[in-house]
Every structure is written in C-alpha cells, then in structure tokens.
Amino acid sequence: MDRLECSNSSERFRAASDRSHDRKGVVSSWISRSRGHSATLIFAAVLALAIPAAGAEPERRAVAYLAQETPKWFAGNHCFSCHNNGDGARALFLAVQRGYAVPAKALEDTLRWLRDPAGWDHNPGNPGFSDKRLARIQFAAALAEAWRTGYTHDRDALLLAAESLVSEQERDGAFPGAWKIDTGGVAGAPATYGSALATYMARRTLEIADAHRFAQPIGRANQWLNFMQPQNVLDRAAILLALPDSAPKHLDALLAAQTSDGGWGPQPHAPAEAFDTALALLALHGVVRPEAGANLRDAHNPAAAIERGRAFLAKFQLADGSWPETTRPAGFTSYAERISTAAWAAYALLTTDPKGN
C-alpha cells in the first residue's frame, strides 16, 4: 500500500447531492442524487467533458488527468487521500482560476472534506502507512489554494486549519516531512516532502490565512529555512520558494543543477525527475518571470532555464496527461506518487505558463 493513503473500504460510494456550482471556466454540476451504475455512467460523462483533444498543450492534458483522478479515491474507498484530495485538488483550484474547464463534480467531495479541518485526523486509514502531520499540511495547503483562488470563501475553515499547523511546528521553526525522510541528504518525494518542502508549504498556508495573525510561526519558519544547509535540489528549491531574497545564496547552484535535457534531479548530475523539475521551476519563477525570446543556450538565465524545464515536462508527459511518478529510490510504481507528481508538474506548468492563459 502506498504511504499516506487511507485504507480500502468495501462500502459503496454514494453520490453526493447535486449542488449548482456555476463559475467561470467550470462546468456546472448537474448530476441529481443517484446511486449505482447509472450514477457512475453520468459521473464519467461529466468528467469526459474535461478530456482534451490529442495534441493539446501539456497544461490542458494534465488538468484533464487530474480532474478525472482527483475524485476517484473517495469514490472507490470512501475516504480521502492527501495525494488526490490534497496535491491534486490544489492544482485544480489553480487551474480553475486560470480559466481551465474543471467539472465542479470533480472537486465537490474534496471541498466538503477540506472545509472540515476538525475531521481530518479521523480519516480512515492504516496507521502504519499514514502520517497525519504531513496529511494536515497537504490538506491545509489545498484549502489555502481554494481560498487564494476564490474557489471557496470559508475563511473560518482556513484559519482553523492554520491553527492546527501551528501546533505541529517544532521549536526550531521546522515542520517535519513524513518520517523525516530527508535525514542524511536523501531528497523528499511527492508522498513525503521532506522538512524543507513541508516547512515551506505550512508557512505558505499560514501566510495565506493571515500573515499578521501568524507572524510569529512564519518568522520561526523563515529563520529555520534561512539557516538550513540544503542537502539536495529539493531543499534548495524549497528555500528559494519561501525566501526569494535568498537568491544570491541559492540561484546559481539551482541553475547549475539543471540537466542537459532541461530538467532537475534530486542531486546535481542525477537524472531529471518530474517532481524535482516542478519544484525548481516554481522556485525560479518566484525570482524572475519568464520572458519571451529567452536564449535557451544561456545556462545562467533563469528565464531560459524555466523554458527548458517546461520543455522537459512537456516531452516526458505521458499520453494520459500524467508523468512517470517520482519515487525514492527511483523506478518504483506508486499510484499515490503518480498523482502527486502529476499535481506538482501541473501546478508548475500552470504557474509558469508564459501565455498566462
């Protein structure tokens, strides 16, 4: 079983009651209360509206993939996944803001779950494969994105989620990733994050929720990140994401770690992976916006590095719109890692899209 996933349940998923959700760029939810085979067929038909034509841009293909996969875990297991309903949903909230067609039904159950932070710890699961602290960071990040993009206006829920994160912060300011997998320089994965990325994500949620109210824990997180010695590309990207002013310390090293095919791996000179590439792109985007006509042969131009990184993600995107999952060690098969990898890659492509869609 994949880490951080809730256990399978034999209980049949019951379609939630229909709620009209008219939004710009969102297909209205029109499925009436229904059960059984007919509900499944209707649900599949609605999701099919998001499937792009062959040859569509990588952003649209990724959004279509996530729109189909995000609701599947709850539908099949009657519990919620920090990969589907956390990372996957976070990318879809951004996609909706950017004008992509995401069926409202694809996010309906997720939004209901995210708006109840008090229930997150009661998600059915196998304790041996769960890390509730990291799950809270992932769910809170998705809720913060829903708030930031205007998908929900439930600020009380966001504040409650932020408060739950503060209680998990360590005395030195860090938020640990799952099992502190980054110990010894091993980079975090999409299902484990690692302390640098977990700290950035928790800090970002606090900032979105109320930067003034949570100024003290945000400051402690910043201080920890500022003095942290990065052990891998993921660490460096997370620090740069949180602290763009630290570019003089980290930018050159991040640029130098880009591979000849345009991506980034967990360590300099390591084969490029979609997850590490996505984080590097987001970090570079926070330092400089991509510019049209950038010289792709200029290794010291962050804008050029972003274009080459985007090209890497487009080249290695799979036919269904996802990417080969990033795992530590590399080369394993994991549905959870596949969803989170696709979510991070999609989020990076949407954020760095020079067309702005």
Side-chain angles (χ1 to χ4, degrees):
M1 178 183 290
D2 292 327
R3 290 176 173 175
L4 302 178
E5 289 294 2
C6 50
S7 60
N8 288 337
S9 170
S10 60
E11 182 177 358
R12 182 182 297 274
F13 167 69
R14 294 187 304 171
S17 52
D18 174 49
R19 292 183 306 207
S20 177
H21 195 106
D22 291 318
R23 296 175 52 85
K24 180 180 179 181
V26 183
V27 178
S28 298
S29 176
W30 52 270
I31 301 178
S32 60
R33 180 180 294 275
S34 180
R35 297 182 183 181
H37 185 62
S38 61
T40 302
L41 291 177
I42 295 173
F43 184 44
V46 173
L47 291 181
L49 295 175
I51 299 177
E57 66 267 26
E59 292 89 350
R60 194 168 302 280
R61 293 168 59 204
V63 169
Y65 172 79
L66 291 172
Q68 293 181 84
E69 292 298 322
T70 292
K72 278 187 177 180
W73 188 264
F74 178 74
N77 302 286
H78 210 64
C79 58
F80 293 90
S81 158
C82 45
H83 311 290
N84 299 60
N85 311 106
D87 292 336
R90 189 168 63 91
L92 289 180
F93 290 136
L94 177 60
V96 171
Q97 185 198 46
R98 295 297 174 93
Y100 287 84
V102 177
K105 193 69 178 178
L107 288 166
E108 184 177 72
D109 293 316
T110 295
L111 188 60
R112 172 174 54 81
W113 167 254
L114 294 177
R115 292 176 62 187
D116 183 26
W120 293 351
D121 283 349
H122 305 293
N123 196 28
N126 184 332
F129 291 91
S130 299
D131 189 303
K132 291 185 177 180
R133 294 180 305 175
L134 184 57
R136 277 195 291 273
I137 290 175
Q138 290 171 289
F139 289 139
L143 180 59
E145 192 71 14
W147 164 266
R148 189 188 71 83
T149 58
Y151 203 92
T152 182
H153 300 289
D154 190 349
R155 190 161 185 265
D156 289 341
L158 177 56
L159 290 173
L160 182 61
E163 291 286 0
S164 74
L165 295 184
V166 171
S167 65
E168 297 294 339
Q169 189 175 29
E170 297 190 341
R171 294 182 63 183
D172 62 3
F175 290 85
W179 299 287
K180 294 193 174 182
I181 198 71
D182 52 344
T183 299
V186 177
T192 57
Y193 277 24
S195 290
L197 181 57
T199 300
Y200 162 69
M201 293 297 287
R203 170 204 174 280
R204 183 175 187 267
T205 294
L206 297 178
E207 191 171 48
I208 292 172
D210 191 329
H212 178 73
R213 177 172 175 172
F214 299 108
Q216 189 173 6
I218 290 172
R220 290 201 303 269
N222 287 346
Q223 185 175 30
W224 182 82
L225 287 165
N226 189 48
F227 287 100
M228 179 194 184
Q229 294 299 316
Q231 301 296 307
N232 47 67
V233 169
L234 182 63
D235 285 352
R236 197 176 297 279
I239 294 170
L240 195 56
L241 266 169
L243 306 171
D245 290 343
S246 69
K249 293 169 55 177
H250 301 293
L251 181 58
D252 286 346
L254 187 61
L255 290 172
Q258 190 171 26
T259 61
S260 59
D261 55 7
W264 280 264
Q267 297 285 354
H269 311 301
E273 300 268 6
F275 177 60
D276 305 283
T277 299
L279 265 296
L281 287 178
L282 290 168
L284 293 177
H285 180 77
V287 176
V288 61
R289 306 294 182 184
E291 300 173 358
N295 183 356
L296 299 183
R297 292 173 294 181
D298 184 356
H300 301 286
N301 183 344
I306 289 173
E307 289 197 25
R308 293 177 60 225
R310 286 178 54 81
F312 169 85
L313 289 179
K315 180 178 179 180
F316 289 95
Q317 188 178 28
L318 300 176
D320 64 0
S322 69
W323 281 264
E325 55 267 44
T326 297
T327 61
R328 312 289 192 221
F332 285 84
T333 299
S334 165
Y335 174 75
E337 303 277 27
R338 173 69 63 91
I339 297 299
S340 285
T341 298
W344 278 100
Y347 196 95
L349 287 172
L350 290 166
T351 300
T352 62
D353 183 2
K355 300 185 297 297
N357 199 44

